Amino acid sequence: MKIIKVTAIVLVFLSVAGFTTHQWLDSREVSETSGEVEDIIDEETGEPVPIEEIVDVPTVDEIEERYSFDMSETNMQNTIHAMSHQKVYATEKWGHVFITDEIIDRLLEVNKENSYTHSAVYHDILTRWRLDDFSRAVEDHNTIWQLQGGTVGEATRLLSEEEERLYIIRHFEDE
């Protein structure tokens, strides 16, 4: 009887450890040289397929529903943080939101309608991004990451164009 209990405990432990390891490995960022993600190439032209044809971009109605005016400050932070992952390298990334002008515009509207504690921070980041200025995306990511009490996954650099494209394909490819 004792052997059965010990065996059951060991099996439960190994199952939990295996699942945790699988989740951790699945969440790790893919680098441009890993070979795990291949670019999508147009068979006729031999050129990479434009991102607009790869990603299923949400409609305005979907954006308004997803980012309502009663959005919490935590959700605002999570959304900006997840968007920044498209532009920066970090050893760990949780959350992915494809950056579009429509989403940025909506977040600016939501921010304006609320009295968030860090409203000015969100406004500065989103306004810069709306002008396609992602030169400070590492700082932007880390600012939000720090507001959230981040300890793992600090951004260290901008992604190259190729790395960003592969990131988009991995996380946003229309299935």
Side-chain angles (χ1 to χ4, degrees):
M1 187 69 156
K2 191 174 185 179
I3 293 174
I4 294 173
K5 287 182 182 178
V6 171
T7 302
I9 291 171
V10 169
L11 288 175
V12 168
F13 173 78
L14 290 174
S15 296
V16 169
F19 177 77
T20 303
T21 301
H22 171 73
Q23 292 295 87
W24 177 75
L25 288 172
D26 191 50
S27 70
R28 296 194 50 124
E29 184 56 272
V30 175
S31 74
E32 67 182 7
T33 59
S34 72
E36 291 183 40
V37 175
E38 293 184 19
D39 204 352
I40 299 175
I41 306 297
D42 185 303
E43 293 176 10
E44 292 179 16
T45 66
E47 296 292 318
V49 175
I51 289 298
E52 299 78 27
E53 295 179 23
I54 296 172
V55 177
D56 181 23
V57 178
T59 66
V60 172
D61 289 340
E62 291 169 335
I63 291 169
E64 288 177 0
E65 183 177 331
R66 192 174 302 154
Y67 308 111
S68 64
F69 285 123
D70 63 352
M71 181 180 197
S72 71
E73 184 156 6
T74 298
N75 285 340
M76 176 65 77
Q77 288 177 2
N78 289 340
T79 303
I80 295 171
H81 187 187
M83 290 169 73
S84 72
H85 289 159
Q86 181 179 322
K87 298 293 182 179
V88 302
Y89 177 83
T91 56
E92 299 288 335
K93 294 181 180 180
W94 295 281
H96 315 281
V97 174
F98 185 68
I99 299 171
T100 68
D101 290 343
E102 293 78 13
I103 292 174
I104 293 171
D105 288 343
R106 180 61 178 187
L107 293 177
L108 283 165
E109 290 174 12
V110 170
N111 187 52
K112 186 177 179 180
E113 292 295 316
N114 288 280
S115 298
Y116 297 136
T117 303
H118 302 286
S119 182
V121 171
Y122 315 140
H123 177 78
D124 290 346
I125 291 170
L126 294 167
T127 300
R128 228 178 311 103
W129 289 3
R130 186 58 177 94
L131 299 172
D132 289 325
D133 178 1
F134 295 95
S135 62
R136 293 175 47 195
V138 171
E139 180 183 317
D140 297 337
H141 171 278
N142 292 340
T143 296
I144 300 296
W145 177 78
Q146 288 169 348
L147 290 175
Q148 296 178 311
T151 58
V152 176
E154 182 175 14
T156 55
R157 64 176 175 82
L158 291 171
L159 293 178
S160 68
E161 286 183 30
E162 181 180 350
E163 287 174 311
E164 181 178 354
R165 182 173 171 79
L166 293 177
Y167 174 88
I168 291 168
I169 291 168
R170 177 168 190 216
H171 295 286
F172 306 114
E173 181 180 1
D174 185 20
E175 297 179 12

